[in-house]
């Protein structure tokens, strides 16, 4: 059987930002990898997650998270993972 070369592009070993939401309270979600800490807007609930802690957002209360200006500016390709 013939084989063909495969090219794989691998990103950095460390995520650009990683928010675990493990803080017990407060309006800041610290990033494990950078200083790009997120701000929790309109008091989302901190709850038990699938792994450790999580944040529960309510659309009715316009709850969301924001990241500092420039946090995503240098990224050309990115993925957000949630569950």
């Amino acid at each position: 059987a013939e084989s063909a070369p495969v090219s794989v592009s691998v990103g950095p070993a460390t995520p650009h930002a990683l928010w675990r939401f493990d803080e017990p309270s407060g309006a800041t979600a610290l990033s494990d990898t950078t200083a790009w800490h997120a701000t929790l807007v309109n008091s989302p609930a901190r709850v038990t997650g699938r792994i450790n802690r999580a944040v529960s957002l309510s659309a009715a209360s316009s709850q969301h998270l924001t990241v500092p200006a420039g946090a995503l500016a240098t990224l050309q390709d990115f993925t957000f993972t949630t569950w």
Side-chain angles (χ1 to χ4, degrees), residues 2-29:
E2 284 189 41
S3 61
V6 174
S7 176
V8 177
S9 176
V10 178
T14 302
H16 184 69
L18 174 62
W19 300 283
R20 295 183 190 271
F21 306 111
D22 284 343
E23 303 81 15
S25 63
T28 302

Side-chain angles (χ1 to χ4, degrees), residues 18-68:
L18 174 62
W19 300 283
R20 295 183 190 271
F21 306 111
D22 284 343
E23 303 81 15
S25 63
T28 302
L30 302 176
S31 171
D32 284 3
T33 59
T34 64
W36 300 121
H37 305 312
T39 300
L40 285 65
V41 179
N42 294 330
S43 304
R46 292 195 180 256
V47 298
T48 300
R50 290 181 63 169
I51 302 171
N52 299 325
R53 310 252 327 136
V55 175
S56 178
L57 304 172
S58 168
S61 298
S62 298
Q63 294 173 338
H64 60 278
L65 281 73
T66 61
V67 295

